[in-house]
Structures are given as structure tokens and as C-alpha cells.
Amino acid sequence: MAVVSPDRTMVLTASDDRTARIWSTDSGKCLRTLEGHASEVNSAVFSPDSTMALTASVDRTARIWSIGSGECLRTLRGHRSGLMSAAFSPDGKLILTASDDHCARIWSADSGECLRRLRGHEHAVTSAVFSPDGRLALTASEDLTAKIWSIGSGECLHTFDDHRWDVMSAIFSLDGKVALTASSDRTAKIGVLILKSAFAHLQAMRLLCTQQSSRLTSSEDGTARFWNPDTGECLRVLHIAGLYRAAFA
């Protein structure tokens, strides 16, 4: 996977070679290699102020790194199985991790302390994200559900349970009022509304992203598709072989 820093000067990549790398968007040169994980790195993201990186690994840890020095500042330990993803809260003070151990966790970015465990999924948690205001978490799971949680209390506020196969990812809309899910059942859903044309994807969808006027899904069938969120109409198909992830700049 690869993400662009909020200040758009760097790209961060995660790799099966147990490292993450920071690259210059201007020169394309590798600025720094983040080494220390004992197994594959499944995700890597920048902090909101672009000064830190956060990685999640199959080695059951997440790590916080200094962008300037490449030093590992903190290692988050506590999950009992590999991590699928990790994310900073919008203010950069909290971290949310998703794991194969059926659990998501909320951590202090400053101390590395685990503040809360989000328990309720029956299988691996495939992704976990904060809402734009930082007050909610949205998790996706191989138990066919996605769940919305209170960051403050850790309480599960709502469960989306209308997918027929693993939910591979879930994300909030930019205004935080809509939850989108993507599943191995070849559908993407907006709250309780299904994108009815989504069956056009031939294989499992892995990730979806959003902007206010349209929704974007990507699939292992080698396509990315833009959808009208109101009608479910497919607006455009991008043919890209081997595509797993897609994101708006």
C-alpha cells in the first residue's frame, strides 16, 4: 500500500519485506527506510501533521516513527495476533488498530498505552478508522459485519449485518454522516442502501474511498469504479490490472 502525506511532500509505502519507506514526491527518491518489524507490514499512514508515521504488522505490533530521523518512537504491544491496519485520530492524539485477534484497540499516541479494547466481532477485524470528528470508530470484520463504536466509552453503537461474506473495509463519508462498507460478496453498501450495480465487479472488493459527490470502489478484477451514491449507477470504469486499493488525492 502507499499513501501521500497531508502536506503532499512525501509518500509512505508498506511492504512484505518487513519495512516501510518514505519517498520524496518531487524526486521519487527514498528518503528513509523504517526497519524494526519482525514480519510483513500491512499498513502505513502519516500523522495529521506529517511529522510521524504509523505502521501495523503481522508481528502483532504497531510502531510510531519519527519522519525526520526514522527512529521508532514507540511500539504498541497487546494484540494477540497480526495487525491488519492502524490509523491516527484526526487530532493525532489517539491511534486505532485492527487485528486478526477479533479486536480493535484505542491507544494513546503520546504514551503508547492501550486505553480501550473494542470487543464484539467474532472473527478477524480487517480495518478500523476514526470518524472525521474523532468521536466514533468504524470497524470491518470477517464475521460479515461492520460496527460503529463510541471512542469515549468503547460501546458498540450500531452493527451493519447485511453483507453475505467478509467485510474487507469500511469508511466514513467526509461529513461523518454515512458509513460505507465493501465486502467479498461483491457489493458496496452505503449505510443500509446497496449500490445495486456493484455486482458488475467480478471478484472481491478490497477498499473503497469517498468524496462528497461520488464513491470509489476497487476490486481484484482489475477495475476501479465511480458510483452515484444516490442512484447506485456506475459512472465510470477504470481498467487497471492487479488493482487492490484506490484513494482520492
Side-chain angles (χ1 to χ4, degrees):
M1 68 167 295
V3 295
V4 179
S5 61
D7 63 11
R8 299 183 182 272
T9 63
M10 296 169 288
V11 171
L12 180 61
T13 58
S15 173
D16 287 347
D17 68 4
R18 307 179 186 180
T19 72
R21 293 176 185 259
I22 303 165
W23 309 79
S24 167
T25 55
D26 289 332
S27 67
K29 292 182 179 180
C30 180
L31 303 176
R32 201 153 279 113
T33 300
L34 308 180
E35 298 179 288
H37 281 295
S39 193
E40 301 97 317
V41 180
N42 278 333
S43 78
V45 297
F46 286 99
S47 61
D49 62 3
S50 300
T51 64
M52 293 182 291
L54 173 63
T55 55
S57 172
V58 178
D59 69 7
R60 298 187 282 185
T61 70
R63 290 177 179 245
I64 304 171
W65 310 79
S66 165
I67 294 296
S69 67
E71 176 188 3
C72 179
L73 304 176
R74 277 170 290 285
T75 300
L76 310 183
R77 294 186 173 91
H79 280 291
R80 293 176 292 175
S81 190
L83 273 65
M84 302 294 290
S85 72
F88 278 104
S89 61
D91 62 7
K93 295 181 179 180
L94 298 176
I95 286 170
L96 182 61
T97 55
S99 172
D100 280 343
D101 67 4
H102 307 181
C103 181
R105 292 182 181 233
I106 302 167
W107 312 75
S108 165
D110 289 333
S111 67
E113 176 188 2
C114 180
L115 304 177
R116 194 161 284 111
R117 286 185 288 177
L118 307 181
R119 292 186 286 189
H121 283 295
E122 297 179 0
H123 291 287
V125 181
T126 53
S127 75
V129 297
F130 286 96
S131 60
D133 63 7
R135 296 191 299 173
L136 301 174
L138 174 61
T139 56
S141 173
E142 291 180 359
D143 67 5
L144 319 189
T145 73
K147 293 178 180 285
I148 294 178
W149 311 78
S150 165
I151 294 296
S153 68
E155 176 187 3
C156 179
L157 304 177
H158 185 74
T159 298
F160 300 100
D161 59 2
D162 49 354
H163 278 295
R164 293 176 297 158
W165 292 93
D166 302 354
V167 183
M168 301 307 298
S169 64
I171 192 170
F172 284 102
S173 59
L174 295 181
D175 61 9
K177 296 179 180 179
V178 176
L180 292 84
T181 58
S183 169
S184 296
D185 65 11
R186 306 179 188 179
T187 66
K189 299 190 178 187
I190 304 174
V192 296
L193 300 177
I194 186 171
L195 293 176
K196 296 179 180 178
S197 299
F199 63 82
H201 276 308
L202 300 179
Q203 297 185 40
M205 278 182 276
R206 291 296 303 276
L207 181 69
L208 51 81
C209 298
T210 179
Q211 62 180 14
Q212 289 182 341
S213 60
S214 64
R215 303 292 184 264
L216 175 66
T217 62
S218 68
S219 170
E220 292 176 2
D221 66 4
T223 68
R225 295 172 185 252
F226 289 91
W227 307 85
N228 182 311
D230 296 320
T231 67
E233 178 189 3
C234 181
L235 305 176
R236 187 172 297 115
V237 179
L238 308 179
H239 294 276
I240 307 171
L243 179 66
Y244 287 88
R245 297 178 183 270
F248 286 102

